[in-house]
Amino acid sequence: MLTKEEIADWLKGLQSRICIALEQADGGGKFSVEEWERSEGGGGVTRILQNGNVIEKGGVNFSAVSGKLPANISNALKLPPSDFFATGVSIVIHPHNPHVPIIHMNVRYFEMLPLSQGGDAEGRGDYWFGGGIDLTPHYVNAADATFFHNALKATCDKFDADYYPEFKKWADDYFFIPHRNETRGVGGIFFDRLSNTEKYSKENRFEFLKAVGETFAPVYTELMKRNSVKPFSEKEKQWQLIRRGRYVEFNLVYDKGTKFGLDTNGRIESILMSLPALASWQYNHTPEAGSAEEATLKLLRKGVEWA
Amino acid sequence: MLTKEEIADWLKGLQSRICIALEQADGGGKFSVEEWERSEGGGGVTRILQNGNVIEKGGVNFSAVSGKLPANISNALKLPPSDFFATGVSIVIHPHNPHVPIIHMNVRYFEMLPLSQGGDAEGRGDYWFGGGIDLTPHYVNAADATFFHNALKATCDKFDADYYPEFKKWADDYFFIPHRNETRGVGGIFFDRLSNTEKYSKENRFEFLKAVGETFAPVYTELMKRNSVKPFSEKEKQWQLIRRGRYVEFNLVYDKGTKFGLDTNGRIESILMSLPALASWQYNHTPEAGSAEEATLKLLRKGVEWA
């Protein structure tokens, strides 16, 4: 029987492997290490790289927290009052060069304690896996977006041919900024509430989560290598700061992980490591007709088939 | 009988007077003018000044919107389903110089339509005035904070000796960032749901709103004059960007006006004019012991009596 400790241990190992791969690809920056404890139970390890060669600010966080589920969360999740255990790895990387995309990944496991035999009122199990990876280019590059989505599709297809189309659509819907009527970037995959079913065991769900987690480093280090050597102008840098502003808007207004962190009294500097070193808001900024910036905006919509 | 049209007209005039005063104090920047309409009813005039001599980015917005009250708002306000009319002036000014404080003011009038004879379930009238002014220095200057609070107190005291202490405390509670455990700045006044009572007529409440609105320009232009000539270092500029990051966090996570705007399908560029041209997030930034930055952080708490 797969235990929560095994899952947490594996995730902590993933954090280390990803930090090593990113440091190698960066060729200069080093991740700091902060261990922290949560007064209500559990804790985590926050690893931040600032001012590397390629990465301006990046965080690779591990946490495993437990305690009483706050009422606002149990209500939102339609769960009875209970104790919980949640563990995961969360990553956001902001590069210097506007031609290198921002990336985000989260892989997580959530469990209600004590595990009952039944499941909740809607018949789901009382544990589940969730996660996602999405890419936010400041300038959408079709070859990179296709490479990224193909890699995610290949990972998904090893488990279920329905995963990629389903989880790709879920990402389009989730990584969306309603007040801007634009997606955060070129999407990726998003999934939640993966529990055991007749078709899949808990072990199989965990294998899928592991495969997603292991997809991150080879894909993003390739995108770093391809793009970090490209020259860029002051105008392109300015556009990057504006796109980062949209990233901030998504994370502070809509992101459920951020909200969960704030609502569970999480470590604030770990939660908000996703925010960039520098971001800009210009009133009514509108790209010139025919510009690369305009071309990017036109691609920030749901339903683009990149794979 | 005071009508909503009279109130809206007065507010529109206030917008003009404040823009003129700010342009004069800035000595270079000019406010743009955009009139906009809301598809569900009403509209507004957005006025933005970017890259002035003193003001880096500032907005002075007027709006008068109406229509059906969105369900999420009527629920939050514990109101029955109804039509509404809302008019107000909203201001946020971000200066270049870190020694000039950020300022915010909002004065507003809200009405449920049609006006019934009764009032809502909790016995309140079915219209009300609300508003507030608060000051966010990047570096808290005691003389400026005292000047600012004394001006607000003088305005309040003309109407009711209880207003200033009550509304000052309300501002301390409202302009607070729970996840940082710090106030946004040195506070000011905040009030809401001012309706007619045995003691005060609707006309009297409006006179108070007008007095608050007219307090803005002389107070802030004085703070511009006092501080915009001060030299500043690169380190002080960096600190300003970090403090602006906190401002972004408050506005996107907690501010009810922003939320109301997003929930009522308001004009997004007008709502988010409050966000600065440039903001920064540094992981785990901690001011040096004994520094001016640390002294400021120690003063960002509730209950400081400045007046």
Side-chain angles (χ1 to χ4, degrees):
Chain A
M1 176 64 186
L2 184 60
T3 66
K4 61 183 192 296
E5 289 79 12
E6 284 172 70
I7 297 168
D9 281 352
W10 187 86
L11 288 167
K12 202 166 178 179
L14 178 70
Q15 178 192 36
S16 295
R17 290 192 295 284
I18 287 175
C19 286
I20 290 167
L22 288 173
E23 284 180 353
Q24 196 167 13
D26 188 80
K30 295 288 168 200
F31 278 94
S32 65
V33 184
E34 264 100 13
E35 300 197 19
W36 53 271
E37 289 188 4
R38 180 173 169 275
S39 58
E40 297 90 341
V45 182
T46 298
R47 303 200 58 184
I48 304 288
L49 190 160
Q50 292 189 104
N51 297 314
N53 289 339
V54 179
I55 297 170
E56 182 173 359
K57 186 179 175 194
V60 180
N61 290 346
F62 164 79
S63 65
V65 300
S66 56
K68 195 162 281 302
L69 195 61
N72 46 358
I73 293 179
S74 55
N75 290 340
L77 295 175
K78 295 178 186 169
L79 298 173
S82 60
D83 289 344
F84 78 104
F85 172 84
T87 184
V89 168
S90 281
I91 305 175
V92 172
I93 308 290
H94 290 282
H96 289 290
N97 189 317
H99 298 299
V100 181
I102 306 165
I103 196 164
H104 157 259
M105 180 179 86
N106 174 259
V107 283
R108 61 185 179 272
Y109 172 76
F110 181 90
E111 184 177 301
M112 285 194 291
L113 298 172
L115 277 172
S116 74
Q117 297 302 311
D120 72 7
E122 295 177 33
R124 290 171 298 230
D126 44 12
Y127 74 86
W128 56 82
F129 296 97
I133 310 187
D134 78 302
L135 195 71
T136 305
H138 313 92
Y139 289 93
V140 175
N141 172 314
D144 283 352
T146 297
F147 165 76
F148 175 73
H149 274 275
N150 281 342
L152 296 179
K153 183 172 185 303
T155 296
C156 288
D157 285 353
K158 280 182 213 152
F159 292 84
D160 189 320
D162 291 337
Y163 275 2
Y164 177 76
E166 184 185 338
F167 299 161
K168 192 270 186 197
K169 184 180 182 310
W170 204 340
D172 277 357
D173 290 337
Y174 181 79
F175 298 110
F176 182 71
I177 309 175
H179 65 260
R180 298 290 188 179
N181 194 29
E182 61 188 38
T183 52
R184 176 160 93 167
V186 297
I189 57 172
F190 186 91
F191 52 94
D192 203 6
R193 300 255 184 170
L194 296 190
S195 198
N196 55 304
T197 60
E198 281 189 24
K199 198 168 170 187
Y200 294 118
S201 65
K202 184 173 187 178
E203 285 71 17
N204 178 277
R205 298 298 205 180
F206 184 41
E207 289 305 313
F208 173 64
L209 194 84
K210 287 158 78 172
V212 170
E214 298 293 8
T215 303
F216 177 87
V219 166
Y220 191 60
T221 55
E222 170 65 19
L223 293 174
M224 288 167 70
K225 198 170 73 175
R226 285 186 187 185
N227 296 298
S228 61
V229 293
K230 293 180 179 169
F232 58 88
S233 66
E234 190 47 48
K235 184 190 165 199
E236 289 167 331
K237 192 71 194 169
Q238 189 54 43
W239 175 248
Q240 177 186 44
L241 300 187
I242 291 170
R243 297 313 306 165
R244 286 180 180 173
R246 303 296 169 93
Y247 209 85
V248 171
E249 290 176 25
F250 179 84
N251 280 23
L252 293 181
V253 180
Y254 301 109
D255 186 60
K256 291 190 170 70
T258 303
K259 195 171 163 41
F260 181 84
L262 297 181
D263 287 348
T264 52
N265 192 24
R267 181 174 181 266
I268 197 65
E269 286 292 337
S270 303
I271 299 164
L272 297 186
M273 66 82 188
S274 63
L275 304 181
L278 215 54
S280 176
W281 284 268
Q282 304 295 329
Y283 175 68
N284 226 359
H285 185 274
T286 313
E288 285 169 43
S291 66
E293 291 78 14
E294 189 196 47
T296 280
L297 276 191
K298 284 183 177 169
L299 290 167
L300 298 181
R301 54 188 172 77
K302 300 180 185 186
V304 181
E305 294 305 331
W306 293 108
Chain B
M1 176 66 186
L2 185 60
T3 67
K4 62 183 190 297
E5 290 78 12
E6 284 173 71
I7 296 168
D9 281 352
W10 186 86
L11 288 168
K12 203 167 177 178
L14 178 70
Q15 177 191 36
S16 296
R17 289 191 295 284
I18 287 176
C19 287
I20 290 167
L22 289 173
E23 285 180 353
Q24 196 167 10
D26 187 80
K30 294 288 169 199
F31 278 95
S32 65
V33 184
E34 264 99 14
E35 300 198 18
W36 53 273
E37 289 189 3
R38 180 172 170 273
S39 58
E40 297 89 341
V45 183
T46 298
R47 304 200 60 183
I48 305 289
L49 190 161
Q50 292 188 102
N51 297 314
N53 288 340
V54 180
I55 297 171
E56 182 172 358
K57 187 180 176 195
V60 181
N61 290 345
F62 164 79
S63 65
V65 301
S66 56
K68 193 162 279 304
L69 195 62
N72 46 359
I73 294 180
S74 54
N75 290 339
L77 294 176
K78 295 178 186 168
L79 298 173
S82 61
D83 290 344
F84 78 103
F85 172 85
T87 184
V89 168
S90 282
I91 305 175
V92 173
I93 309 291
H94 290 283
H96 290 290
N97 189 318
H99 298 299
V100 182
I102 305 165
I103 196 164
H104 157 259
M105 180 179 85
N106 174 259
V107 283
R108 61 185 179 273
Y109 172 75
F110 181 90
E111 183 177 303
M112 286 194 290
L113 299 172
L115 277 171
S116 74
Q117 296 302 311
D120 72 7
E122 294 179 33
R124 290 172 297 230
D126 43 13
Y127 74 86
W128 57 82
F129 297 96
I133 310 187
D134 79 302
L135 194 72
T136 305
H138 312 93
Y139 289 92
V140 175
N141 173 314
D144 284 352
T146 297
F147 164 76
F148 175 74
H149 275 274
N150 281 342
L152 296 179
K153 183 172 186 303
T155 296
C156 289
D157 285 352
K158 280 180 213 152
F159 292 83
D160 189 320
D162 291 336
Y163 276 0
Y164 176 76
E166 184 185 340
F167 299 161
K168 192 272 185 195
K169 181 179 184 313
W170 204 340
D172 277 356
D173 290 337
Y174 181 79
F175 298 109
F176 182 71
I177 309 175
H179 65 260
R180 299 290 188 180
N181 194 28
E182 61 188 38
T183 52
R184 175 159 96 167
V186 297
I189 56 171
F190 186 91
F191 53 94
D192 203 5
R193 301 256 184 166
L194 296 190
S195 199
N196 54 302
T197 59
E198 280 190 24
K199 199 167 170 189
Y200 293 118
S201 65
K202 185 173 186 179
E203 286 69 18
N204 178 278
R205 297 298 205 179
F206 184 41
E207 289 305 313
F208 173 64
L209 194 83
K210 286 158 79 172
V212 170
E214 298 292 8
T215 303
F216 177 87
V219 166
Y220 192 60
T221 55
E222 170 65 20
L223 293 174
M224 288 167 71
K225 198 171 74 176
R226 286 187 186 184
N227 296 298
S228 60
V229 293
K230 293 181 179 169
F232 58 88
S233 67
E234 190 48 48
K235 184 189 165 200
E236 289 168 330
K237 191 72 194 168
Q238 190 55 42
W239 175 248
Q240 178 185 42
L241 300 187
I242 290 170
R243 297 313 307 166
R244 286 180 179 173
R246 303 296 169 92
Y247 209 85
V248 171
E249 290 175 26
F250 179 84
N251 280 23
L252 293 180
V253 180
Y254 302 108
D255 186 59
K256 290 190 171 69
T258 302
K259 194 168 164 44
F260 181 84
L262 297 181
D263 287 348
T264 52
N265 192 24
R267 182 172 180 267
I268 196 67
E269 286 292 338
S270 303
I271 298 165
L272 297 185
M273 65 82 186
S274 62
L275 304 181
L278 215 53
S280 176
W281 284 268
Q282 304 295 330
Y283 174 68
N284 225 359
H285 185 276
T286 313
E288 286 168 44
S291 65
E293 292 79 14
E294 189 197 46
T296 281
L297 277 190
K298 285 183 178 168
L299 290 167
L300 298 181
R301 55 186 171 77
K302 300 180 184 186
V304 182
E305 295 304 332
W306 294 108

